[in-house]
Amino acid sequence: MSLPLCLSSSPAASVVGFCRKFLHLVLRSVAGFAVVVPVMAHAGGPPVPGLPRINTVALPLSVADSPASRDSAVTQTAASGVAPTLARIRERGRIVLGYRQTAVPFSYVDAKDRPMGLAWALCQRIVSALQHELAMPDLRITPVRVIEQMRGPMIKGDTIDIDCAPSTATATREKQVAFSLPYYAANVRLMVRQGTGIDSIDDLRGLRLAVVQGTTAERLVRAQHPRTGFQLLLARDYADAFRMLREHRAQALALDDVLLEGLRATSKSPELFQIVGPPLSDQPEYYALVLPKDDPVFKAHVDAALAAMFRNGDMAKLQREWFHTAIPPFGHSLNVQPSAEVLAVWEAGARFGIPSGDGLDISPNANLTGHGALTTTYPPGS
């Protein structure tokens, strides 16, 4: 007996057709699972190794779903200006902010281990702006303690959304993370105990110099080591470095001058320590908030919030609050005035987005309005 020319007219053909449909549905389900699961993993935790950073929104499946169509959907999502960081924040209903434990007066903890400081206050205002822009009044903040060596990996791994600490913006770091508009400027100098006779790094031959690992100060002192011949001690954080100086394990500590002022002001005996010598570099350290790389939309939101603070006087008010009043919970004041370099940073930030030529006054007592534009060249650094 010969088979009929049309298989669909036989009982066997019905079985074959049913099997084909069932197999097609199974394959579609498997394909859908492969697309959605990595995206969900990216939203709730570190990204799956090897997967691109796309979006936290699951891609739709259709009969025409294929690798080509999925690539097209990703391209369209990126072109639409959707920020992966904002999408992640919206999905989990909270924003994760990094902080330091002892970076007074920018980012440190109080007696109850709660983060505080000028950089932390900047982030609180940025979150308030995001609550309004995202229509998320209940957006929660999750603070995460970060040490210097881990800020890059934690930002890259989506563990934190913003690092709210005094981080120097450098071209080398910008290869891994993004930076907000700069908000402060400092210079790396030395702090020593009173009466040691040390006036500069040239006096440290054969002596021990403490520095925090992973900071720009480490790079600067290493560059001078062949000439000066000191012994280098690496500390894990600011408190550890200051402890070395306080306990006579090191004769000097190299760090940004404003952070040295914070360590001295919060010690039990501030009068025992002094900051000496010229800056170790002819270029200041520009502080900026650390952000996820390749997310210009999120950076634009952060920069806009910072620029508003430069223009309306909030930045100057925060500087007075954290630099000219008793630092809680320690009770000492830094009494540090904004330098010409700091004022220049504020002025540049206040110009973010406005045409050049419009005059702006960003002195500590100014009340600024408008929009601003900024171009910053970061030093190479580490």
Side-chain angles (χ1 to χ4, degrees):
M1 179 186 296
S2 63
L3 294 175
L5 295 177
C6 181
L7 291 175
S8 60
S9 62
S10 68
S14 299
V15 175
V16 172
F18 174 80
C19 291
R20 285 178 176 174
K21 290 181 180 180
F22 178 78
L23 180 61
H24 181 66
L25 289 173
V26 170
L27 291 176
R28 282 184 57 195
S29 299
V30 172
F33 184 80
V35 173
V36 175
V37 168
V39 175
M40 292 174 62
H42 172 71
V48 177
L51 290 178
R53 290 186 55 167
I54 44 177
N55 202 326
T56 57
V57 179
L59 302 179
L61 297 176
S62 65
V63 176
D65 186 40
S66 65
S69 63
R70 289 196 295 270
D71 290 344
S72 176
V74 172
T75 303
Q76 293 175 4
T77 300
S80 66
V82 175
T85 308
L86 291 178
R88 184 171 65 247
I89 291 170
R90 181 183 294 278
E91 180 172 328
R92 66 191 178 200
R94 58 189 175 91
I95 183 170
V96 184
L97 304 180
Y99 69 92
R100 301 292 184 273
Q101 190 171 25
T102 57
V104 178
F106 294 96
S107 184
Y108 65 104
V109 296
D110 63 12
K112 296 183 178 180
D113 210 35
R114 294 172 301 194
M116 60 195 311
L118 186 145
W120 185 257
L122 290 180
C123 283
Q124 307 309 296
R125 285 161 170 76
I126 291 170
V127 172
S128 295
L130 291 176
Q131 287 176 326
H132 176 74
E133 294 164 8
L134 299 178
M136 296 181 65
D138 297 327
L139 178 62
R140 296 174 290 116
I141 293 175
T142 299
V144 174
R145 180 187 171 189
V146 179
I147 61 174
E148 298 293 323
Q149 302 90 325
M150 290 303 298
R151 66 185 149 201
M154 292 181 77
I155 282 283
K156 289 178 63 178
D158 299 330
T159 305
I160 56 176
D161 301 312
I162 307 176
D163 187 27
C164 309
S167 295
T168 301
T170 69
T172 301
R173 291 173 179 171
E174 201 174 31
K175 294 176 181 178
Q176 299 183 357
V177 300
F179 290 102
S180 71
L181 296 178
Y183 64 85
Y184 213 80
N187 289 283
V188 176
R189 296 178 64 191
L190 298 180
M191 185 161 68
V192 299
R193 297 180 67 90
Q194 292 277 8
T196 59
I198 299 173
D199 296 318
S200 72
I201 197 169
D202 295 328
D203 299 324
L204 290 177
R205 179 171 297 277
L207 301 180
R208 295 181 295 276
L209 172 62
V211 67
V212 179
Q213 186 176 10
T215 62
T216 51
E218 180 190 358
R219 173 181 58 85
L220 291 175
V221 299
R222 282 188 181 278
Q224 299 204 37
H225 181 266
R227 180 179 62 83
T228 55
F230 52 79
Q231 299 178 47
L232 188 61
L233 301 181
L234 296 180
R236 62 178 180 272
D237 56 27
Y238 304 127
D240 186 34
F242 186 57
R243 190 179 303 112
M244 292 179 180
L245 178 64
R246 190 177 64 246
E247 297 176 355
H248 299 273
R249 285 185 284 158
Q251 282 73 48
L253 165 60
L255 192 61
D256 302 356
D257 49 9
V258 65
L259 297 176
L260 291 175
E261 291 285 5
L263 289 171
R264 180 172 64 176
T266 55
S267 68
K268 294 181 179 180
S269 304
E271 70 282 357
L272 295 181
F273 305 94
Q274 63 177 338
I275 298 174
V276 300
L280 300 186
S281 173
D282 56 3
Q283 190 168 16
E285 309 283 300
Y286 291 105
Y287 291 169
L289 303 175
V290 183
L291 311 172
K293 192 172 176 60
D294 299 326
D295 195 344
V297 175
F298 183 61
K299 172 176 163 56
H301 280 274
V302 172
D303 286 349
L306 285 172
M309 285 183 264
F310 293 134
R311 292 191 298 269
N312 64 21
D314 275 358
M315 185 66 226
K317 293 177 183 177
L318 288 174
Q319 203 275 346
R320 289 195 297 270
E321 176 182 349
W322 293 103
F323 287 68
H324 300 282
T325 59
I327 300 174
F330 305 99
H332 301 296
S333 174
L334 270 67
N335 293 319
V336 174
Q337 297 291 336
S339 65
E341 296 164 335
V342 171
L343 293 177
V345 166
W346 294 353
E347 182 175 4
R351 293 182 181 279
F352 178 68
I354 68 168
S356 60
D358 291 354
L360 285 174
D361 176 17
I362 49 83
S363 60
N365 296 319
N367 184 18
L368 306 172
T369 58
H371 301 281
L374 178 67
T375 300
T376 304
T377 301
Y378 300 137
S382 60

